Structure formats: C-alpha cells, structure tokens
Amino acid sequence: MQNFGIKEALTTLGVKATNIGTSTGKKWIRSKGESISSYSPVDGKLIGKVQATDEKAFEKVVVEAKKAFVEWRQIPAPKRGEIVRQIGEALRKYKEPLGKLVSYEMGKSYQEGLGEVQEMIDICDFAVGLSRQLNGLTMHSERPAHRMYEQYHPLGIVGIISAFNFPVAVWAWNTMLAWVCGDVCIWKPSEKTPLCSIACQNIINKVFAKNNVPEGVSCIVNGDYKIGEQMCSNENIPLVSATGSVRMGKAVGRTVSERLGRALLELGGNNAIIITENANLDISIRGALFGAVGTAGQRCTTTRRLIVHENVYDEVKARLKKAYSNLNIGNPLDQQNHVGPLIDTLAVKAYRNALKKVKEEGGSFVVTGGSLSGKGFESGCYVKPAIAEVKNTFEIVQQETFAPILYLIKYKTIEEAIGFQNGVKQGLSSAIMTTNMNEMERFLSHNGSDCGIANVNIGTSGAEIGGAFGGEKETGGGRESGSDSWKIYMRRQTNTINYGNTLPLAQGIKFDI
Ligand code: UN1
C-alpha cells in the first residue's frame, strides 16, 4: 500500500502517535479517559491514539470556556472576523496535509478531502463578511415618542458534536459563525476521526497565539457518547449543535430540551432524485452517480433513491450500469480511484444487511454489491457500489444505510414521483432533473418537495456553504452554515425606548390613578 505522503502530513499538522484529546487552546489537559485508537479504513493501520476526556477534564474545559466568553464577547465582531480571516489563510496553507489526513482517517477520496477543507475556507470567508452584518431590524412603535429595535448579542458556549463523514467541515460551519457571533466553542468530534480534531486545534492555536486570543475560545474534548451526554446536560452550554444519526439526535434533543437549552440538529437524510421524461440524461446520470457513490455513500446528502419516469427508466438503468462498471474502487489517496472504503467493518456489516433485506423484500440488483477482499482491500472496509430495483414501500428503502446502495423506483405521474420523494421519514435533500418548467416549479412549490434542500438539475449532495443547510422531519429541523443560520448562535433582544415625557401603555390600556 502506497503511503502518499501521509507521514509528512501528520508531522506538518502536529499529530503524534499519542495525543492528549482535551484542550482549551494552548493548554492540553491530561485526563484519566481511555485511549482511543484511530485506525485508517484505507489500510487498516493504526494512525495514532487520542486520550479521551473524562468528566473532570470536561468540567475544567467548561470553566475555562465560561471565563473566555466574558473576554471574547468584548472584542468587536469585525475584529473577531479578522481573526477568522487569518484562520482562513492558515487553512489555505494547510489545505493539502489536512485534506490528506481527512482522506486517510475517514476514507473519502483525496479530492473530496481537499473539497472539505475548501468548505472550511469558504465558511471562514463567509463569516468574515458576516462579522460586519450581524444585523437586527428596527420597527415602528405603536406608541408616540417610542422607538423599537432588535439586536443580537453573543450567546455563550456552543457545544459541537460532529460526525465522522465530515470530520472537519461541519465543525468549521459551526465554529466560524459562532466565533464571529462572540461565542466560544467546545467541539466533540466523532470518536472515529479524533485525529482531525487535533490537527484543527493545532492550526487554530497558531492563529490564536498571534492574536492573543484568550484560552478557552477553542476547546476540544474527545470520547464517545458519554462525553456528548455530559455536554448536552450541562446548563452552562446554551446551544448544542449536533450532526449525526437520527438516534443520536433524538437523545441530544431530549437531554438539551429537558433543561430548555437550544439544540441545532442536522441528522439523517434519505435523499431522492426524480428523473423525469423531460430530463437531460447526461446531467442526470452524472448527478446520480456522484450523489450515490461520492464519499462511498456516506454523506447525509447522498442520493439513496432514484425515482425515474417509466419512459426513460430503461435507458437510465442501462447508462447507470455502464457508468458503475467504470468506477475504480481502492485507496482514496490514489487519485485514480473514485470510491474509497467505508468508515469501518461495522458499516460494511450494515451495508451487507441492507443488501440482504433488499433481496428478502423482493428487490433485484442491476449492479450487484458485495464486500471486497485481497490486495489493497486488507482493511476489510471496501465495498462495491450497488444498484437495486425496489418499491418505495420496502422497509429497507425507508431507512438510511450509510453506504453506496442506490434504489431505483419507477413512476408514471409527477404527483406520484413527488409522493414517493416525500414518503419517507427524513427530509434533508432532494432534486429533480427536468427541462420542463411546469415539473420544476411544481417540485419547488409548497406542493412539491418537503425537504430542507430542493435542487433542479443538480444532484442531492454538494451543497454550497452560502445556503442554510439542514432538513425537516426526522432530519431535525436545524439549519447550519449560510444564509441567516447565524441567528441561532446569538441571543436576540427586543428593545423599546421611550424618549417622551409620558408613559403610554401598549395596546391602549388605561391605568390611571
Ligand atoms: C454531511 O454529510 O453531513 O452538501 C454534510 C454536502 C456537503 C455537506 C454534507 N457540503 O454534501
């Protein structure tokens, strides 16, 4: 197995064989937490170890973050933006090694690893501009000589729980916005990709040291769900932003709402592309292909269902089959390969189970899947992307299996297609391929897609950072990244000022004595 410069990347990023997994910035806090071993799904080798955060260390982090918030919020927002600008510069500098680490620790292709770092850079740029645009509205008061307006104040500590599939970008979406908003962050990365958090903290530390940023503005904690639970139940953390499975999101939502905190949830998707009889099939095949097999089917925006009009169904099926036969599966750091491994052997098991269920429920395969073994596949995490013909009603089609399995579903009318598209519990991303205005507008209307993201003539994955990212129903309702997603990271305050000499009451109420 070729190395592709991964050792150099680790050295450049300051990731060691053994790392302390708890940090408030300059300080790395030792704890009695267990040691987490990070094995690469690429070649099964141990990349490094991270010492998990125990309860005591977590409490120390919260104390430090709380202190930091008081200082950080004094710094004018555009000045905080300037620091985020420098982080964007640092990420540009470290794009290659960080992209490599993402690829090696998580298993996505190097191109996608670079793309993920690019998302971090983009959100930095976005946040810099935002730091001068944290605008509230002014309103006309119903009372004479009164003025009303609203303002957004920093909120406090933001807890971030991120998933293995976007080990660095999703942290950046949350953190860069939170920082310009005046918040401080505690990040718990996935225990499957802990080394990415060490690398990011090292990059941040350099920029923070140069700008004398107080200790506690950027904190990381590592560990499994237990440390996540501690974060969710801690009353000092007004917002917990969590990305991951629906099961995890329900637990986070319950615990955070129990103490009436805010939870921003970005959970599973079961995304579909509708290919109508009026679609440009070149675009459709390209969109479906990247959507289904990109990141080995492990994006929450992955295309899982293809809802195809009966008149073009056979052609779509044949062309997809051909496209799949040209896919190279293998080491994701080798740029010739399109599909890397799944994150671990548990994911392979879930993939195999899903294929089994497709058969049991009466589906058939257009492209047969299966796990790969032998030279180059020693980690046991590589699988073949599969395509199955199914009915939308199949139990397995209703579930999100984090693997490259694409379900083909035939439809007759656009109403039926939209019904299929919406007929699942999740509501993250959706797309229609058509050149027909009627079909397109119907899909985008209130009678159309019920998802947080609805695209025309592009696939379901690969959202730009400028839009609000997230979805409805079991996807959790949260919005991260662009548009006005920043508002959840701030405390909104309505202010009414009386500059007159009397005290008229609102709603015209008389209260004279
Ligand atoms: C995720 O899978 O959790 O839209 C995030 C996309 C990426 C982000 C996916 N920009 O596919």
Side-chain angles (χ1 to χ4, degrees):
M1 179 72 62
Q2 280 168 282
N3 179 296
F4 291 102
I6 192 68
K7 278 211 183 89
E8 296 75 2
L10 290 170
T11 312
T12 310
L13 296 165
V15 177
K16 306 197 184 79
T18 317
N19 304 272
I20 300 172
T22 313
S23 165
T24 52
K26 254 185 288 178
K27 278 189 228 160
W28 292 83
I29 301 166
R30 284 191 184 279
S31 79
K32 296 209 165 69
E34 78 258 20
S35 166
I36 306 171
S37 297
S38 179
Y39 293 97
S40 168
V42 174
D43 54 13
K45 288 195 184 131
L46 177 70
I47 319 172
K49 292 184 183 177
V50 174
Q51 181 193 40
T53 310
D54 64 10
E55 265 180 57
K56 252 175 126 181
F58 185 83
E59 287 310 322
K60 273 190 202 158
V61 168
V62 173
V63 168
E64 202 77 57
K66 227 175 144 173
K67 269 198 288 186
F69 174 56
V70 178
E71 263 187 80
W72 184 238
R73 69 180 182 197
Q74 310 301 336
I75 298 170
K79 293 250 157 63
R80 295 193 296 257
E82 163 54 21
I83 296 165
V84 168
R85 188 192 66 75
Q86 293 175 34
I87 295 171
E89 289 295 307
L91 287 169
R92 282 174 173 88
K93 194 171 138 205
Y94 290 101
K95 185 171 174 181
E96 280 190 20
L98 190 56
K100 241 172 224 175
L101 173 60
V102 166
S103 175
Y104 191 58
E105 192 176 30
M106 184 276 163
K108 64 175 67 177
S109 74
Y110 178 49
Q111 274 303 314
E112 291 184 51
L114 292 176
E116 185 166 348
V117 183
Q118 189 57 48
E119 271 199 55
M120 303 172 85
I121 295 167
D122 294 342
I123 197 75
C124 286
D125 288 356
F126 180 90
V128 176
L130 182 68
S131 70
R132 292 180 186 269
Q133 297 173 83
L134 301 169
N135 305 331
L137 297 171
T138 62
M139 304 90 186
H140 285 264
S141 169
E142 66 188 51
R143 287 168 282 185
H146 279 57
R147 185 167 75 79
M148 272 175 83
Y149 78 114
E150 68 183 4
Q151 51 180 338
Y152 289 88
H153 291 309
L155 185 67
I157 305 175
V158 177
I160 299 157
I161 298 172
S162 64
F164 76 85
N165 64 336
F166 274 81
V168 292
V170 172
W171 164 72
W173 292 354
N174 283 280
T175 307
M176 302 310 154
L177 294 197
W179 281 340
V180 298
C181 289
D183 301 330
V184 298
C185 298
I186 304 176
W187 176 24
K188 188 203 103 53
S190 164
E191 63 271 38
K192 293 176 182 173
T193 50
L195 297 172
C196 281
S197 73
I198 308 291
C200 288
Q201 185 74 342
N202 285 339
I203 294 172
I204 296 302
N205 276 346
K206 289 197 181 94
V207 179
F208 277 17
K210 232 174 37 200
N211 291 275
N212 293 317
V213 172
E215 191 70 19
V217 173
S218 178
C219 306
I220 57 168
V221 294
N222 267 284
D224 58 14
Y225 70 95
K226 286 187 263 31
I227 208 78
E229 272 174 8
Q230 211 185 329
M231 178 183 272
C232 290
S233 57
N234 194 308
E235 289 180 355
N236 293 299
I237 303 177
L239 170 66
V240 177
S241 171
T243 304
S245 67
V246 170
R247 197 166 60 95
M248 178 278 297
K250 282 185 178 168
V252 168
R254 249 192 319 268
T255 314
V256 175
S257 65
E258 180 71 29
R259 61 176 172 92
L260 300 179
R262 279 186 209 170
L264 192 176
L265 301 175
E266 203 274 278
L267 312 175
N270 190 349
N271 318 295
I273 299 179
I274 298 173
I275 301 182
T276 80
E277 57 184 328
N278 301 303
N280 172 331
L281 291 189
D282 292 342
I283 292 181
S284 306
I285 301 299
R286 204 172 134 75
L289 183 68
F290 180 72
V293 310
T295 329
Q298 299 172 105
R299 290 192 189 207
C300 56
T301 51
T302 290
T303 307
R304 310 216 173 270
R305 298 174 298 144
L306 216 54
I307 303 167
V308 189
H309 191 271
E310 56 180 0
N311 290 351
V312 290
Y313 186 87
D314 287 340
E315 189 179 348
V316 167
K317 189 166 112 177
R319 287 180 67 172
L320 269 175
K321 195 172 173 171
K322 182 152 180 276
Y324 269 54
S325 70
N326 291 327
L327 287 173
N328 297 331
I329 308 163
N331 187 334
L333 286 158
D334 179 345
Q335 298 213 50
Q336 308 218 317
N337 291 327
H338 307 100
V339 184
L342 293 181
I343 184 67
D344 53 21
T345 48
L346 272 179
V348 174
K349 214 167 143 196
Y351 158 88
R352 292 172 66 100
N353 273 342
L355 294 184
K356 213 170 99 202
K357 286 217 179 102
V358 168
K359 257 205 202 133
E360 280 167 13
E361 290 194 79
S364 58
F365 289 97
V366 178
V367 176
T368 337
S371 38
L372 295 161
S373 56
K375 200 169 157 22
F377 303 127
E378 290 84 355
S379 69
C381 299
Y382 290 84
V383 301
K384 279 198 272 183
I387 305 180
E389 290 184 283
V390 298
K391 291 210 166 63
N392 201 53
T393 46
F394 285 8
E395 153 79 23
I396 189 66
V397 176
Q398 298 281 315
Q399 285 172 29
E400 178 191 46
T401 305
F402 238 48
I405 306 173
L406 181 65
Y407 300 121
L408 285 191
I409 300 155
K410 200 185 275 182
Y411 82 88
K412 282 188 169 60
T413 66
I414 187 73
E415 289 78 15
E416 189 189 21
I418 292 173
F420 287 162
Q421 136 66 36
N422 292 344
V424 292
K425 283 187 171 169
Q426 308 85 342
L428 179 57
S429 187
S430 60
I432 193 167
M433 299 289 183
T434 181
T435 52
N436 177 292
M437 191 191 72
N438 185 301
E439 286 174 340
M440 170 182 121
E441 290 292 338
R442 188 184 286 224
F443 179 73
L444 298 177
S445 78
H446 48 270
N447 297 316
S449 163
D450 64 0
C451 292
I453 297 170
N455 296 331
V456 177
N457 291 333
I458 62 166
T460 56
S461 67
E464 298 176 22
I465 61 95
F469 185 90
E472 303 300 326
K473 304 193 289 187
E474 278 201 350
T475 302
R479 293 296 186 276
E480 296 177 301
S481 193
S483 184
D484 65 352
S485 306
W486 60 270
K487 287 182 176 168
I488 197 162
Y489 300 90
M490 301 204 82
R491 177 165 64 79
R492 183 180 194 150
Q493 188 174 67
T494 302
N495 306 109
T496 310
I497 301 152
N498 175 5
Y499 59 91
N501 299 316
T502 59
L503 187 65
L505 299 178
Q507 294 88 46
I509 290 172
K510 296 269 170 279
F511 190 73
D512 297 329
I513 39 170

